Amino acid sequence: MSSTLTENVRKTVLENGLTVLTKEVHTAPVVTVQVWYQVGSRNEEPGVNGIAHQLEHMMFKGTLNRPIQFGRLFSALGSDSNAFTSYDQTAYYGTVERNKLKALLVLEADRMQNSQIEPEQLASEKRVVISELQGYENSPEYRLNRAVMQAVFPNHAYGLPVGGTKADVEKFKVEQVQKYYRNFYTPDNAVLVIVGDFQTANTLETIKEVFGKLPKRQEAGVISPSSPSSPSSPSSPSSPIVLREPGAGRLLQVVYPLPDANQPDVPALDVMDYIFTEGRNSRLHQALVESGLANEVTASVTSLRESGWYEVLVTAGSKQDLKKIDSVLSSAIANVAEKGVTSEEVERAKTQLTADVILSNRDITSQAMRLGNDQTTTGDYHYTDRYLAAVRLVKPTDIVAVINKYLTKEARTVGFFEPTQKQITEVGDKPDSAHTTENFSPVAPVLFSEVMKYLPPVDLATDALLAVVGKGSRREDIAQVLPQQFKFPNGLRILLLRDHSTPTVTLSGHIQAGTEFDPDNQAGLAAFVAENLLHGTNSKDVLTIAKVLAERGASLDFQSYREGVHIEGDSLAEDLPILLEILADVVKNCTFPIKELELHRQQTLTDLQHELDEPSEVARRIFVQSIYPKKHPLHTFPTEESLQQIQRQDVIDFKAKHYRPDTTVLALVGDFDLDKVRSLIKNEFGNWEVSGQAPTLKYPPVSMPEKIVSVNPVLPGKTQAVTYMGYTGINRYDPRFHAALVLNQILGGDTLSSRLGAEVRDRQGLSYGIYSYFQALKNAGTFVIEMQTSPEDSTKAIASTRQILQQIHQQGVTALEVETAKRTLISNYNVSLANPEELTDRILMNEVYELDKVELHSFTDKIQKVTLDQVNQAARELLHPDQIVVVTAGPSVSPEKSIR
């Protein structure tokens, strides 16, 4: 199970100090380009907290050479691009088809040296950042974590929130941000990582050509934080930090300081974490969740450049006391310190940890992320290989040693979140007859000729060159081969596609047993069944099932949604027989033990409380129920009353009625022999019997709203508003489907480059995120626009959005927009097929929707054939700005400011 992460990695340092890591991976015709700057919130102090994050946003605003939103350039290239700020680094990444490698390099080099940071743009983007921070503030977990971390690291920037604070962001001056840019965005403070389908020698020459002329840092020295608090003498308040604020449930957080990533105890600490919290058999899950004290317990080891910490977060069970939970938690840890752990526990944790690393690095973007993070955090891109080697040597005595060394009572900082009374108010329809433009002037459509003017040229010679030099098992060749399809006598359909690029297998499945079949008075029943399948069978109890999977580092999960139950599984290739055996056992022989059902009911009720404290979930519920009438299969959502109505016999009956081989599809992609896997599946599922006809549903037609309907559910204590806008849309079989995808890409398919993104987010700075989509399901469809805004900006953002809908509905889009959107969709699709999970899901859903078997490859042809006339006809027929449901959840939108 050794990792091959750094195999074939080449490190090159240019004369100007730029560190370059290259790794050829010829499994798909794609490449990822990532630039990691060694600056993050660690390089801040109170008063300028969030400046690294603010600078990350500004890096998309254009350069001296390209005064244009870079998101539009990335979208035009078809690049799956984004960025993030962390404690130790800020990273920018894009994954594209291989012939666009040089274009990405040119863009990254340009903004490394020439980014424009202007007053007007900074003012706009500060509003966007504050919107983002307010979104975080909606979460009690975020607020509790912020208070605890400030107490753990009072004299180090690790105690500051990575994204910053509203008070500091509001005060940023252009000169401050420019100084940070000059100080940190230089080649000698950066790591360039390239992984994918390229030739190293040629690419290094291109890198030297593009990046080699950039100068080193001019100023001597850099801004650095004060020395970190020593893990051996942490700041730790004797009594818990208590937050009493609006919220849904009680939370307990405990944080222990740990050493930095390069210290030798880190591998044992990670193994310890898996023993404590990974899976049903873990120590803290047994002590807290199985007992009913807690709804959930999660933990993580954070290992950074200058320090680290172990963080445990417990979501309390309904009406459970946090002090009691804290006492049980402390006793469980003390018990392990005193009595030790078994060799079996240690070996299982090591296997899980190692398998997780391998399974999480199957796609090239993730592999590059690992290399970039290792190099910038530890100074060594070999770190993960060394780390995994050390993990294999961890012994039971090492676990006890690190617990006694770091998880002491004196070292820990404890936080309690005690919710005050929460109540949703002001839920009601507010019909609107007109609208205000609120300073929004509809400008001419984005000039895509400007985008093309600033886009670097694409290397058309790359494909021909790599066709000759590429070696190894290429997923591009694999993807041109259609998956093999089999149907067993009992109706079970399977699709198999071999991929030998990694020693793993990805499984995706679908059973037609979704929430659309929930009875009105028992909403949540379908989810009850799906989420309890792994809780026991005729031959294995819940802990045995969890143990069998954990011992191999394999995963299996069932999630219900409207039109089905989605099965997700993955494992190392050699463990596929075990994965299939467990899957077959639970779908055929699950027993739904009453104890597990009742524990699950309590957990689901607590989860529901937390969901109804999230503006996004409240907005989504009310939005869907405002569009689809009662008795419609999409209208029902679980409530406390409906969950209490569900009895064990209801669960058994639903399972017997809806879990059938003739409504089940399985897709597998991975390193296997086709005949052997087919035989395995036949042995495991061949005796799964079916009787009668599969249940069916009739979806009644739903009319459009006659006018604009506005609803503002108010959740106390929230700082960020979440808005859902839309109405019924097309299903997957609508002849306008592909034209609608192109239309949506132009309208709101990308939060930086679309019409909505360019105006509402980028120009006006009203929203951190805004995007649209046609949710085209098998039996129904919904058109949705989502955005998050500051409450004072909600009205303006909604008015601007409706005006853009009106503009496109009446005037249409341009030919150049259509061509750019088509290129983006095709490139994104091709990039997605390089990810084994996305490839497997695509194969599965094509079969579920009973599409032509060549759809895997013909999808791009269908997008390419979409015409300007078809897109504009779709805009006239599918965009209805005056017949729209608008739900804004979170803070109050005052009546005088409500949408008109």
Side-chain angles (χ1 to χ4, degrees):
M1 292 174 63
S2 62
S3 168
T4 58
L5 187 64
T6 59
E7 186 181 347
N8 300 326
V9 175
R10 177 169 171 179
K11 179 179 178 182
T12 308
V13 181
L14 303 190
E15 289 184 9
N16 60 7
L18 178 67
T19 298
V20 182
L21 301 177
T22 54
K23 179 183 180 183
E24 293 185 32
V25 180
H26 300 292
T27 56
V30 296
V31 63
T32 187
V33 173
Q34 304 184 1
V35 180
W36 293 66
Y37 294 95
Q38 299 182 90
V39 57
S41 61
R42 177 178 62 85
N43 304 90
E44 298 172 356
E45 55 192 20
V48 290
N49 181 208
I51 196 164
H53 178 222
Q54 183 71 64
L55 178 55
E56 174 222 312
H57 278 244
M58 297 306 297
M59 289 289 283
F60 284 87
K61 303 298 277 188
T63 66
L64 295 171
N65 302 324
R66 295 177 174 84
I68 187 173
Q69 162 60 253
F70 262 46
R72 284 158 62 188
L73 296 175
F74 293 134
S75 179
L77 275 177
S79 174
D80 182 8
S81 294
N82 214 325
F84 66 84
T85 305
S86 189
Y87 295 96
D88 291 334
Q89 60 275 114
T90 307
Y92 302 82
Y93 57 95
T95 305
V96 291
E97 293 161 309
R98 63 189 173 197
N99 62 328
K100 298 165 183 173
L101 169 58
K102 184 175 180 179
L104 271 191
L105 293 173
V106 169
L107 292 176
E108 292 297 353
D110 189 18
R111 63 176 175 173
M112 181 180 283
Q113 185 179 29
N114 302 313
S115 280
Q116 285 185 303
I117 300 170
E118 304 292 343
E120 185 179 346
Q121 293 176 323
L122 178 60
S124 169
E125 205 62 26
K126 279 162 66 172
R127 291 178 73 174
V128 172
V129 168
I130 289 169
S131 170
E132 180 182 354
L133 297 179
Q134 288 175 325
Y136 301 151
E137 290 281 346
N138 278 352
S139 163
E141 289 92 339
Y142 176 82
R143 304 199 299 272
L144 179 62
N145 177 261
R146 186 180 60 189
V148 172
M149 290 300 292
Q150 285 174 339
V152 176
F153 294 104
N155 302 312
H156 192 285
Y158 285 162
L160 302 173
V162 170
T165 62
K166 180 181 178 183
D168 282 2
V169 170
E170 286 176 332
K171 292 183 292 188
F172 291 154
K173 300 287 192 295
V174 168
E175 297 75 24
Q176 287 177 298
V177 182
Q178 288 173 337
K179 184 178 181 181
Y180 251 70
Y181 175 61
R182 290 193 304 270
N183 226 11
F184 293 109
Y185 278 61
T186 57
D188 49 321
N189 195 46
V191 177
L192 171 64
V193 187
I194 304 176
V195 176
D197 202 12
F198 62 91
Q199 249 195 320
T200 301
N202 289 5
T203 300
L204 284 175
E205 287 303 313
T206 303
I207 291 168
K208 289 171 185 174
E209 171 197 335
V210 174
F211 283 90
K213 58 182 178 289
L214 302 187
K216 287 186 177 184
R217 182 179 302 136
Q218 298 299 309
E219 298 178 26
V222 294
I223 301 167
S224 60
S226 53
S227 299
S229 303
S230 168
S232 59
S233 56
S235 172
S236 177
S238 54
S239 56
I241 297 162
V242 181
L243 295 188
R244 290 187 174 89
E245 299 174 357
R250 295 179 177 85
L251 301 169
L252 164 70
Q253 185 161 49
V254 183
V255 175
Y256 301 87
L258 296 180
D260 66 78
N262 276 314
Q263 297 305 308
D265 286 334
V266 169
L269 286 162
D270 279 338
V271 176
M272 173 204 76
D273 173 39
Y274 271 65
I275 291 171
F276 274 141
T277 62
E278 185 66 26
R280 292 288 297 255
N281 290 280
S282 63
R283 294 295 187 103
L284 296 184
H285 192 281
Q286 286 289 308
L288 295 170
V289 180
E290 296 292 326
S291 66
L293 283 173
N295 207 57
E296 185 180 23
V297 56
T298 59
S300 61
V301 173
T302 299
S303 303
L304 300 179
R305 189 166 179 164
E306 295 180 357
S307 189
W309 57 88
Y310 185 51
E311 173 187 336
V312 182
L313 178 66
V314 183
T315 305
S318 180
K319 301 177 182 176
Q320 297 295 335
D321 181 67
L322 289 177
K323 290 182 179 177
K324 181 178 180 182
I325 292 173
D326 187 31
S327 175
V328 172
L329 170 66
S330 298
S331 296
I333 293 173
N335 183 57
V336 177
E338 179 185 343
K339 297 182 180 177
V341 292
T342 65
S343 296
E344 181 187 19
E345 281 180 294
V346 173
E347 291 306 311
R348 183 165 66 235
K350 286 158 62 173
T351 300
Q352 288 176 295
L353 197 163
T354 306
D356 280 352
V357 171
I358 294 171
L359 290 167
S360 66
N361 282 285
R362 288 178 292 177
D363 63 282
I364 61 169
T365 304
S366 300
Q367 290 178 44
M369 286 279 184
R370 180 78 64 165
L371 292 169
N373 185 70
D374 284 354
Q375 182 66 34
T376 53
T377 302
T378 71
D380 180 11
Y381 70 88
H382 290 105
Y383 176 78
T384 296
D385 281 351
R386 292 192 289 107
Y387 164 84
L388 289 176
V391 164
R392 288 193 287 274
L393 300 177
V394 172
K395 305 183 297 295
T397 52
D398 298 327
I399 305 302
V400 174
V402 293
I403 292 173
N404 284 320
K405 186 174 180 180
Y406 299 108
L407 270 58
T408 64
K409 190 173 182 180
E410 302 75 39
R412 70 195 208 119
T413 302
V414 181
F416 289 173
F417 182 86
E418 294 278 7
T420 55
Q421 187 172 10
K422 180 191 78 70
Q423 186 175 4
I424 300 177
T425 58
E426 292 186 29
V427 179
D429 288 358
K430 300 174 187 170
D432 291 327
S433 56
H435 67 274
T436 58
T437 55
E438 290 283 342
N439 196 33
F440 168 62
S441 53
V443 293
V446 176
L447 288 175
F448 274 79
S449 57
E450 290 290 290
V451 177
M452 306 315 292
K453 182 169 80 175
Y454 295 120
L455 200 65
V458 170
D459 186 0
L460 298 176
T462 309
D463 280 346
L465 179 67
L466 280 163
V468 177
V469 302
K471 298 176 182 178
S473 174
R474 304 179 67 93
R475 193 175 286 125
E476 65 167 319
D477 300 328
I478 294 163
Q480 293 309 314
V481 179
L482 293 171
Q484 293 213 15
Q485 297 176 285
F486 304 101
K487 185 173 182 179
F488 293 118
N490 59 9
L492 174 68
R493 289 170 284 165
I494 62 170
L495 300 104
L496 306 176
L497 186 63
R498 286 185 301 177
D499 174 6
H500 299 304
S501 59
T502 63
T504 63
V505 174
T506 304
L507 180 149
S508 191
H510 171 94
I511 302 174
Q512 192 178 316
T515 60
E516 62 185 2
F517 289 110
D518 277 348
D520 289 341
N521 64 336
Q522 291 181 322
L525 177 58
F528 243 66
V529 176
E531 291 161 16
N532 279 279
L533 289 172
L534 289 163
H535 291 173
T537 67
N538 294 332
S539 59
K540 301 179 186 72
D541 64 17
V542 59
L543 295 181
T544 302
I545 293 170
K547 182 179 174 184
V548 168
L549 291 170
E551 283 176 344
R552 289 156 179 85
S555 69
L556 182 62
D557 189 39
F558 297 85
Q559 290 291 331
S560 60
Y561 68 104
R562 286 296 181 187
E563 294 190 337
V565 171
H566 187 65
I567 307 168
E568 288 185 6
D570 55 28
S571 72
L572 299 176
E574 63 198 35
D575 297 318
L576 177 59
I578 300 294
L579 188 64
L580 290 173
E581 179 191 326
I582 295 292
L583 172 61
D585 192 22
V586 298
V587 297
K588 292 189 298 184
N589 307 313
C590 54
T591 54
F592 304 112
I594 191 70
K595 177 190 170 189
E596 297 297 332
L597 281 178
E598 289 310 313
L599 180 62
H600 179 75
R601 189 196 311 274
Q602 293 310 311
Q603 292 171 346
T604 304
L605 288 167
T606 303
D607 285 343
L608 180 62
Q609 285 183 342
H610 286 271
E611 285 176 12
L612 295 181
D613 186 51
E614 295 178 9
S616 58
E617 178 61 23
V618 172
R620 186 179 72 89
R621 279 184 171 230
I622 294 175
F623 171 73
V624 170
Q625 292 188 324
S626 299
I627 293 173
Y628 297 102
K630 290 182 179 178
K631 304 298 181 183
H632 191 281
L634 300 185
H635 181 87
T636 56
F637 283 87
T639 64
E640 182 177 347
E641 294 73 24
S642 72
L643 293 171
Q644 295 285 14
Q645 291 288 327
I646 297 170
Q647 303 300 314
R648 179 170 181 264
Q649 192 58 48
D650 301 320
V651 174
I652 293 170
D653 292 345
F654 187 97
K655 159 67 172 56
K657 182 177 180 181
H658 295 282
Y659 280 66
R660 308 161 52 97
D662 56 345
T663 63
T664 300
V665 184
L666 299 178
L668 290 95
V669 173
D671 189 11
F672 51 69
D673 178 273
L674 285 170
D675 292 334
K676 287 182 180 177
V677 172
R678 184 183 179 189
S679 178
L680 272 172
I681 294 174
K682 183 178 181 181
N683 289 340
E684 297 292 350
F685 294 89
N687 62 351
W688 189 10
E689 296 180 358
V690 61
S691 60
Q693 293 296 310
T696 57
L697 272 177
K698 186 170 183 181
Y699 274 60
V702 178
S703 58
M704 294 282 295
E706 294 181 1
K707 55 192 173 185
I708 301 167
V709 176
S710 173
V711 190
N712 178 209
V714 177
L715 282 72
K718 303 304 179 187
T719 58
Q720 174 87 161
V722 176
T723 297
Y724 274 63
M725 305 172 63
Y727 37 76
T728 55
I730 58 173
N731 67 23
R732 179 60 181 83
Y733 307 109
D734 193 291
R736 298 166 294 185
F737 174 73
H738 296 92
L741 291 183
V742 176
L743 170 65
N744 184 71
Q745 182 64 28
I746 297 167
L747 170 66
D750 184 290
T751 203
L752 288 179
S753 67
S754 62
R755 290 269 193 107
L756 290 174
E759 180 61 36
V760 179
R761 185 204 189 278
D762 200 48
R763 190 179 80 82
Q764 298 189 72
L766 299 177
S767 172
Y768 169 57
I770 180 168
Y771 53 94
S772 63
Y773 54 92
F774 286 92
Q775 186 180 35
L777 300 176
K778 196 169 186 176
N779 296 305
T782 310
F783 172 67
V784 186
I785 299 172
E786 293 181 42
M787 70 177 97
Q788 59 183 79
T789 54
S790 299
E792 61 270 21
D793 290 334
S794 298
T795 302
K796 188 175 177 182
I798 292 165
S800 297
T801 299
R802 285 193 50 241
Q803 192 123 18
I804 291 169
L805 286 174
Q806 189 77 46
Q807 190 180 70
I808 297 179
H809 171 73
Q810 292 179 343
Q811 301 171 18
V813 298
T814 67
L816 200 48
E817 282 181 301
V818 169
E819 289 309 308
T820 304
K822 284 158 58 172
R823 187 163 55 247
T824 300
L825 289 169
I826 290 168
S827 295
N828 288 344
Y829 181 83
N830 289 334
V831 168
S832 76
L833 295 187
N835 184 316
E837 292 181 356
E838 294 190 48
L839 174 61
T840 312
D841 278 344
R842 183 76 65 168
I843 290 169
L844 174 77
M845 296 314 294
N846 285 347
E847 178 64 24
V848 169
Y849 286 142
E850 299 175 329
L851 303 177
D852 191 295
K853 67 178 183 178
V854 300
E855 176 70 17
L856 190 64
H857 311 309
S858 63
F859 173 82
T860 53
D861 295 332
K862 291 174 182 176
I863 292 293
Q864 186 58 52
K865 289 175 181 174
V866 171
T867 66
L868 173 64
D869 288 344
Q870 289 172 330
V871 174
N872 284 333
Q873 181 179 348
R876 290 190 297 272
E877 296 174 356
L878 301 178
L879 300 184
H880 306 284
D882 297 322
Q883 295 174 280
I884 194 166
V885 172
V886 183
V887 179
T888 301
S892 175
V893 177
S894 58
E896 64 271 18
K897 284 190 175 183
S898 64
I899 314 149
R900 296 295 180 199

